[in-house]
Amino acid sequence: MNEETPLLHRRTASSDSQISNSRLYLAVFSAVLGNFNFGYSLVYSSPVLPKFKSPDADPRLRMDTDQAAWFGSIYTLGAAAGGLGAMLLNDLIGRKMSIMMSAVPSSIGYMLMGGAVNLWMLLLGRFLTGVAGGMTAASIPVYISEISHKKVRGALGSCPQITAVFGTLTLYALGLVVPWRWLAVAGSVPAVLMVILLAFMPSSPRRLLSLGQEQKAEKALRWLRGSNYNTNIELNAIQQSINTQVKITWSQLLTPIYYRPILISVGMRFLQQMTGITPVLVYLEPIFAKSNVALEPRYDAAIVGAVRLFSVAVAASLMDKAGRKALLYSSSMLMFLSSLTLTMISHTTPCPAVNITAPGYSSHAELGNTLQASQGTAVSVIPLISTVVFIFGYAMGWGPITWLLMSEVLPLVARGVASGLCVTVSWLTAFVLTHVFTLMVDTYGLYVPYLMFTVVCVLCLLFNAVCIPETRNRSLEEIENYFRTGRTFTIRQNHPGVVSS
């Protein structure tokens, strides 16, 4: 066995040297256009809500506070429904077709919002774009992980988050100059382009092998890796992994190979949302307004979008160098420090300054008011900086790595259903938190939710230390073997099959 292992490594290294990634990159780009649409639609409410709450808004579309809260949060309900749909579609029609199907609710939703003449059209359109977002969030990371090889899976696994952030930044930028109806029209373009490109991309080789279509799987893998690549070694490893799989029963869910990775994935998605990222992004402009930030809230939002894009790019470059756990530690610490700062600032923020131009003010008070205003200006920069650091920390760790690890650690036989479950839990948590966030801010101010986010960041640190394995430079089969054995990533050729409990 010791003599065979170096030989296997030499053959694998020789095979890896023949890999051409150009077509793989094209397939990934085609898929992650769905994530661009997801990021775009998630924050659509941020620049649009002030227009609907304005006295100048169309009376048929004008929203009160409760209606605006539903418009902001109903997206997450749609995303939860989309995650449930993906649980079925991923295994029924495959990952690629599930991604393409997401263009249907997305296009209909944007058409409803772009041509809305009643509130129900806006709410239904927002819900349908959420359905599309939930479908893509459950399907695209799995598709990318299954068509990628281990040397680039880390970087490519962060592409869904990068393109989602780029979609968010695009929305913030267009929202400065484009009317809200045209914002909806523009949102349908990436979905259409995604369908056109994906029609020419291959299905996952692992999916094809699981259906017994060996020739199609070999053709798809050769298309992804290049004509000079020896597909036999990778196809045999995939086939061996598939051969060890059995239909999951409820009793088998009690075995570590299934329940451990599923619980880790669900826990990561739950904690990811409990950090407060969704309400912060959805209500970014109102939060900045309440924090008395020096710049206009819409420009603050654009700054945050740019910082998110930069930080996710940093994470992509470090994913396969520093490792997943190191980035998660750094991410948790940055979010903890920034949320702690926001907690202290919001708890000690003074009452809004009195209008010094009002009649009855003595000239003797002008100097003191000027000094207070200058101090207020300095303090008003701290919430912006802390929010930027919070977003930076999230986007370089708990944002992209959670998506990547979910696609890496989930059991191959249950990956489609389990990824849909993770997305559903994630978005139901986001919906509840978004509504609770609004109530807490109205009752207690920003202090209480920021304090809760600080505590969650500590839990993220502990969860990473105790529960999450390091998957850098590991194949999907090696990761699965880790959960099967509980102690090693090494795959032995004479490994026994899964034993039912």
Side-chain angles (χ1 to χ4, degrees):
M1 182 65 189
N2 293 335
E3 296 177 356
E4 293 177 359
T5 301
L7 178 61
L8 179 61
H9 286 180
R10 286 198 298 271
R11 289 177 179 174
T12 304
S14 174
S15 178
D16 288 346
S17 65
Q18 302 297 320
I19 292 178
S20 173
N21 290 323
S22 56
R23 290 182 174 179
L24 172 62
Y25 296 157
L26 177 61
V28 171
F29 171 77
S30 304
V32 296
L33 285 172
N35 290 106
F36 178 94
N37 209 8
F38 161 71
Y40 187 98
S41 58
L42 173 63
V43 298
Y44 179 79
S45 59
S46 182
V48 168
L49 274 177
K51 297 178 175 61
F52 290 147
K53 297 183 71 175
S54 169
D56 299 330
D58 186 334
R60 297 172 298 176
L61 303 176
R62 188 178 298 125
M63 298 181 182
D64 57 26
T65 301
D66 185 61
Q67 292 167 334
W70 272 104
F71 184 75
S73 61
I74 199 173
Y75 180 93
T76 56
L77 277 183
L84 286 172
M87 290 175 63
L88 302 176
L89 292 177
N90 274 344
D91 291 330
L92 185 65
I93 63 176
R95 285 65 156 143
K96 190 185 88 166
M97 287 302 299
S98 297
I99 299 169
M100 296 176 70
M101 285 290 293
S102 69
V104 176
S106 177
S107 300
I108 295 175
Y110 279 123
M111 285 191 294
L112 283 171
M113 289 191 292
V117 293
N118 291 295
L119 279 177
W120 71 264
M121 297 178 70
L122 289 173
L123 294 175
L124 180 58
R126 181 86 171 134
F127 177 83
L128 289 175
T129 55
V131 170
M135 293 174 66
T136 56
S139 303
I140 293 176
V142 179
Y143 177 72
I144 291 176
S145 73
E146 292 186 353
I147 66 174
S148 303
H149 55 89
K150 62 183 180 182
K151 285 193 173 182
V152 298
R153 193 187 304 117
L156 295 182
S158 64
C159 286
Q161 184 72 6
I162 291 177
T163 50
V165 171
F166 190 69
T168 298
L169 178 59
T170 301
L171 188 280
Y172 286 146
L174 289 178
L176 298 175
V177 294
V178 177
W180 66 268
R181 290 187 186 275
W182 284 103
L183 281 177
V185 173
S188 62
V189 174
V192 175
L193 181 60
M194 176 191 70
V195 172
I196 295 174
L197 290 177
L198 277 179
F200 299 97
M201 300 299 114
S203 296
S204 160
R206 181 170 280 104
R207 161 77 178 173
L208 294 173
L209 277 180
S210 67
L211 296 175
Q213 301 175 4
E214 291 84 1
Q215 292 184 350
K216 289 185 178 180
E218 195 276 337
K219 183 179 179 181
L221 189 60
R222 188 171 298 281
W223 190 93
L224 290 166
R225 303 288 187 265
S227 58
N228 296 325
Y229 178 71
N230 182 5
T231 60
N232 292 331
I233 296 175
E234 187 170 352
L235 286 174
N236 288 337
I238 296 173
Q239 188 64 63
Q240 180 185 356
S241 174
I242 294 174
N243 290 341
T244 62
Q245 304 300 322
V246 294
K247 291 291 184 181
I248 294 181
T249 63
W250 287 107
S251 60
Q252 285 178 312
L253 287 177
L254 300 178
T255 59
I257 187 177
Y258 293 120
Y259 76 76
R260 284 185 61 199
I262 291 175
L263 287 179
I264 288 174
S265 300
V266 171
M268 285 191 299
R269 296 308 295 260
F270 176 75
L271 289 174
Q272 180 194 48
Q273 290 296 341
M274 288 301 294
T275 60
I277 189 63
T278 299
V280 167
L281 292 177
V282 170
Y283 300 118
L284 193 58
E285 292 190 18
I287 287 174
F288 281 139
K290 196 174 185 65
S291 301
N292 298 321
V293 178
L295 296 177
E296 290 186 31
R298 57 177 182 165
Y299 295 116
D300 294 326
I303 292 173
V304 168
V307 169
R308 285 186 71 203
L309 183 61
F310 170 75
S311 55
V312 173
V314 171
S317 65
L318 296 176
M319 195 83 69
D320 288 320
K321 297 178 182 178
R324 281 66 155 156
K325 288 178 73 71
L327 288 176
L328 286 175
Y329 280 126
S330 302
S331 173
S332 301
M333 282 302 302
L334 287 174
M335 289 194 295
F336 168 74
L337 293 175
S338 56
S339 59
L340 181 61
T341 302
L342 288 168
T343 300
M344 294 186 294
I345 289 294
S346 59
H347 187 55
T348 58
T349 299
C351 297
V354 182
N355 185 0
I356 63 173
T357 62
Y361 271 87
S362 168
S363 60
H364 296 288
E366 292 182 1
L367 179 59
N369 288 332
T370 302
L371 290 174
Q372 182 180 0
S374 63
Q375 292 174 352
T377 302
V379 172
S380 67
V381 178
I382 297 179
L384 174 59
I385 295 175
S386 299
T387 303
V388 165
V389 173
F390 180 86
I391 296 296
F392 179 85
Y394 172 84
M396 74 172 292
W398 277 90
I401 294 178
T402 301
W403 293 44
L404 172 62
L405 279 172
M406 182 188 76
S407 63
E408 286 184 328
V409 305
L410 287 176
L412 301 180
V413 70
R415 184 163 293 160
V417 173
S419 62
L421 173 64
C422 291
V423 172
T424 302
V425 170
S426 173
W427 288 114
L428 286 178
T429 305
F431 173 74
V432 173
L433 187 61
T434 302
H435 268 73
V436 170
F437 180 85
T438 305
L439 295 175
M440 285 192 295
V441 170
D442 288 344
T443 306
Y444 305 106
L446 291 169
Y447 166 71
V448 171
Y450 280 150
L451 179 61
M452 183 180 71
F453 301 156
T454 303
V455 174
V456 171
C457 290
V458 176
L459 296 179
C460 290
L461 278 168
L462 297 175
F463 189 83
N464 183 39
V466 176
C467 300
I468 299 177
E470 178 57 72
T471 60
R472 181 181 57 159
N473 293 332
R474 301 294 183 184
S475 69
L476 298 183
E477 291 72 32
E478 288 173 328
I479 295 170
E480 184 175 274
N481 190 71
Y482 170 82
F483 288 108
R484 180 182 290 116
T485 63
R487 61 184 182 274
T488 178
F489 283 102
T490 304
I491 300 177
R492 300 185 182 276
Q493 297 298 324
N494 60 348
H495 191 277
V498 177
V499 179
S500 299
S501 59

